[in-house]
Amino acid sequence: MLHLRLITPAERTEDVVRVIEENVGTTHLVVLPGAARDPAGDVVMCDVAREAGDELIASLRKLGLDEAGSIAVESIDLSLSRRADEAEKDAPGEGADAVLWEQLSEATHEESTLSATYLAFLTLATMIAACGVVLDNAVLIVGAMAVGPEFGPLAGLSTAIVRRAPRLALRSLLALLLGFAAAMVLTVGFSLLMDALGLFSEARLEGERPNTGFVYAPDAFSFVVALLAGIAGTLSLTSAKSGALVGVAISVTTVPAAANAAVALSYGDTGQTAGSAYQLLLNLAGIVLAGTATLFTQKWLWARSRT
């Protein structure tokens, strides 16, 4: 179930209430006249089955409530109510299959912002991965994958394509391109510093690396894994399964490939640099392609289930 808290101008309250009452899957309607102060108006609250939430939010936006008032949506972890059970039963489809497009757009918008925090996490993840490739340490590689925040803008790009949102697409592309560029440049400097301290060496990078050599040797499996991870990651976002998203983060060679490219570049190894860059681009493309296809499929299946 979802809980909606609305602030509505007094003259639009009746229209808002009518939309809620006519929407299948709603219950626990509360109207508090004059309770809102900023902006001034009435407060309307209700609960709605997740599978009916996107339609209700869209109807409220058509009334201009997002401009004249406010629409706040929260997930309800526990609702002990017979009426809530009936509302979920009346709503068509299954809540686990429903996509809240407004929520997805908002989430990916936040995760796709080229902020100092985003750059810090991506750079730290790349530096950790740099240590992992030089030491041939798979544990460090996995840790770097988990720290990396790059799935946010990848999901944002897929969402932008499906929703035809050019601003979100541009924001996501900038976060990806500038983020990885900055992280790799800083990691080149980090690699040179570690080499000066005697902690990194070209011999280690060029030696046998059975645990991490794959990061600069892309093959068909790299693209297949990227496709599967893109599907899983998109499903985890639309169903709010954060645990699954962590699993996706540690299954795709994006940050490790960027790290290996940076370290190899610091030693002038163009072969490993090119191979790692190709691995990085292959994985990014696979995730975006799979994520976009998944969202289109979910949109089509959901529309079909409601006809």
Side-chain angles (χ1 to χ4, degrees):
M1 293 291 289
L2 302 172
H3 177 70
L4 271 64
R5 187 188 72 250
L6 315 172
I7 296 178
T8 171
E11 65 274 11
R12 299 190 189 182
T13 300
E14 288 303 320
D15 292 334
V16 170
V17 170
R18 183 169 60 254
V19 165
I20 293 173
E21 290 178 336
E22 291 176 352
N23 195 88
V24 177
T26 59
T27 187
H28 304 155
L29 177 60
V30 177
V31 180
L32 303 174
R37 292 292 181 267
D38 184 19
D42 302 333
V43 174
V44 179
M45 295 181 288
C46 71
D47 294 340
V48 59
R50 179 182 173 86
E51 53 268 41
D54 194 62
E55 182 178 349
L56 177 56
I57 293 171
S59 298
L60 293 172
R61 293 197 67 181
K62 287 181 180 179
L63 293 177
L65 199 58
D66 54 326
E67 297 289 341
S70 169
I71 303 174
V73 183
E74 300 174 339
S75 294
I76 300 176
D77 295 327
L78 177 64
S79 180
L80 303 177
S81 167
R82 180 180 59 82
R83 296 184 69 87
D85 294 339
E86 291 175 351
E88 289 185 320
K89 184 178 180 180
D90 293 339
E94 293 293 332
D97 297 331
V99 179
L100 295 177
W101 292 101
E102 295 297 337
Q103 184 183 58
L104 179 62
S105 296
E106 184 65 23
T108 52
H109 181 277
E110 293 178 0
E111 294 294 329
S112 302
T113 302
L114 187 64
S115 63
T117 301
Y118 170 83
L119 287 174
F121 271 114
L122 188 57
T123 300
L124 290 170
T126 308
M127 290 179 177
I128 293 171
C131 296
V133 297
V134 171
L135 297 174
D136 193 35
N137 189 315
V139 174
L140 291 176
I141 293 294
V142 172
M145 288 175 169
V147 172
E150 73 279 5
F151 191 81
L154 289 170
L157 187 55
S158 295
T159 303
I161 293 172
V162 175
R163 302 214 70 188
R164 299 178 182 178
R167 288 187 178 182
L168 178 58
L170 180 59
R171 178 187 293 266
S172 301
L173 279 174
L174 287 176
L176 280 173
L177 298 179
L178 296 182
F180 269 110
M184 291 172 70
V185 167
L186 291 172
T187 302
V188 168
F190 174 73
S191 177
L192 293 173
L193 174 63
M194 295 291 281
D195 181 77
L197 294 174
L199 299 176
F200 280 11
S201 68
E202 187 174 4
R204 282 186 167 184
L205 181 72
E206 302 295 343
E208 289 292 326
R209 289 192 283 144
N211 294 319
T212 60
F214 66 92
V215 299
Y216 62 90
D219 54 21
F221 280 106
S222 300
F223 191 66
V224 170
V225 172
L227 290 175
L228 296 175
I231 295 171
T234 302
L235 290 175
S236 72
L237 281 180
T238 57
S239 62
K241 299 293 185 183
S242 58
L245 189 57
V246 173
V248 170
I250 61 176
S251 65
V252 185
T253 313
T254 50
V255 166
N260 198 85
V263 176
L265 185 61
S266 71
Y267 286 115
D269 187 337
T270 56
Q272 282 201 37
T273 300
S276 300
Y278 181 49
Q279 175 82 274
L280 174 62
L281 293 175
L282 192 68
N283 279 275
L284 294 178
I287 293 173
V288 172
L289 177 62
T292 303
T294 301
L295 288 176
F296 270 123
T297 301
Q298 286 182 288
K299 189 175 183 179
W300 178 76
L301 289 174
W302 185 251
R304 187 176 180 181
S305 71
R306 297 174 69 86
T307 58

